[in-house]
Each structure stands twice: as C-alpha cells, then as structure tokens.
C-alpha cells in the first residue's frame, strides 16, 4: 500500500535480533545503527518505533535531524516511571540477567506449545491465537535475541537519562501513541 503512494518502507532488525549482523547494544548503539540505516536509505524518513526502540529513535532524531522528517512513537518507554525496581534487578545484577534470559526462554517455549497462547492473558499480555503467539515469541526462543534483550535491559537502566536529554532537541514533528490498556508501557 505504501509503495503505491510513492512511499518506501524499511523494517530493519535491531542489533542482536533476526538477520541483523550487528552485535547487541544499548540505546546509543541502537541509535547509531538507526542513523547509519537512515544515511544509507536516502531522503529524510519518518521513523516509527515501538516500546524500547522509541528511546534510540529519539536519540537518533536528535543527533541527525536532517535525516528525520518525522517521528512516531508507539507505546514508548522512557517516561519517569519507565524504570522500575524489577528493571534494575533484571538489568544490573548477574542474577537478574540470568533470570531474564531463562524467563524469556521458558516463556517462549511454553507459549509456542500447542494451546500456549492461552497463557498470555493470564500473564496480562493480551490475547493472540496460537500462530500469532508462536510468531510473537520467536525472539524469546532465540539465544542471540535473549542476549540482546539482556544488553538492552541494562541499557534501559544505564542510558535512559541520555534519552531525556535528547528529547527536547528532536526537531521533527513527533506523534506519541499510547493506550490505557497497555499492560507493559503505561501512559505517563
């Protein structure tokens, strides 16, 4: 649909996920990867980012304003209540990092089993059919992606202040989408 309107869409895996050849990294590293993609892709872009990825999108938009025509942040993290005590435990302690990786592996395995999608509403994560649940939990079953999640969790704790400093310097028109039913990123 977008191509028919003269628009081009790029959907790049973040460092450490999917087909990305880049090593996992924190907010700064992801922002640098995004700026690199924007430099290679041509005219200024509208950057759309969801949840954790909103933070590197903000940093990239502030660092490379000529490359960003607009920003759309969907359920973005980064508000004053974004980092909880649980985030600090999972991101900054060796035990927390292990709990995060093992929890993702076990959760991904359980949800991918036949009928596993019924576990999502119990955990407060909404409803998906079995096929959608298997697709959504694919990263949780990938050891490289679990490592990336652990690196990103630490960055959420350590680098979020940089996002707050960068936000006022985003020159591009920005839209923030949040919802009252979001169980992961509550509107602030």
């Amino acid at each position: 649909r977008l191509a028919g309107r003269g628009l081009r869409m790029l959907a790049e895996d973040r460092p450490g996920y999917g087909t990305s050849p880049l090593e996992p990294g924190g907010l700064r590293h992801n922002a640098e990867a995004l700026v690199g993609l924007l430099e290679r892709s041509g005219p200024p872009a509208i950057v759309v980012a969801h949840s954790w990825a909103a933070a590197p999108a903000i940093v990239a938009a502030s660092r490379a304003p000529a490359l960003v025509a607009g920003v759309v942040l969907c359920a973005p993290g980064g508000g004053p209540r974004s980092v909880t005590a649980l985030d600090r435990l999972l991101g900054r302690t060796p035990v927390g990092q292990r709990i995060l990786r093992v929890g993702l592996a076990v959760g991904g395995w359980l949800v991918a089993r036949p009928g596993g999608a019924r576990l999502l509403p119990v955990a407060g994560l909404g409803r998906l059919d079995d096929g959608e649940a298997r697709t959504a939990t694919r990263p949780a079953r990938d050891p490289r992606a679990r490592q990336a999640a652990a690196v990103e969790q630490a960055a959420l704790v350590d680098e979020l202040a940089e996002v707050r400093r960068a936000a006022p310097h985003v020159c591009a028109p920005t839209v923030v989408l949040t919802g009252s039913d979001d169980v992961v990123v509550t509107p602030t």
Side-chain angles (χ1 to χ4, degrees):
R1 291 180 171 192
L2 294 174
R5 297 175 183 247
L7 300 173
R8 182 173 52 130
M9 186 176 93
L10 302 172
E12 186 90 358
D13 288 323
R14 287 201 327 261
Y17 292 93
T19 61
S20 173
L22 301 175
E23 288 300 312
L27 302 173
R28 287 183 214 105
H29 178 68
N30 276 261
E32 290 166 10
L34 177 55
V35 168
L37 172 65
L38 295 173
E39 288 171 340
R40 294 186 304 276
S41 66
I46 297 173
V47 175
V48 179
H50 173 252
S51 191
W52 188 93
I58 291 167
V59 173
S62 73
R63 287 185 183 169
L67 300 174
V68 180
V71 181
V72 179
L73 305 175
C74 305
R81 296 181 303 194
S82 290
V83 177
T84 66
L86 179 60
D87 289 313
R88 286 184 193 80
L89 170 74
L90 296 176
R92 297 309 315 143
T93 67
V95 170
Q97 292 269 301
R98 184 78 178 147
I99 289 169
L100 175 63
R101 288 192 301 271
V102 170
L104 286 170
V106 171
W109 180 83
L110 286 171
V111 172
R113 312 281 29 102
R118 71 180 185 282
L119 298 172
L120 294 172
V122 174
L125 297 174
R127 298 185 185 284
L128 298 173
D129 67 33
D130 280 347
E132 293 168 329
R134 277 191 296 281
T135 299
T137 58
R138 189 174 297 133
R141 297 188 310 276
D142 175 0
R144 183 171 177 254
R146 289 194 302 270
Q147 176 59 32
V151 169
E152 291 177 352
Q153 186 68 32
L156 179 68
V157 174
D158 294 340
E159 300 176 30
L160 200 53
E162 183 172 343
V163 178
R164 291 192 186 120
R165 287 190 301 273
H169 303 287
V170 173
C171 300
T174 302
V175 175
V176 178
L177 304 171
T178 63
S180 59
D181 291 337
D182 190 332
V183 297
V184 178
V185 180
T186 55
T188 55

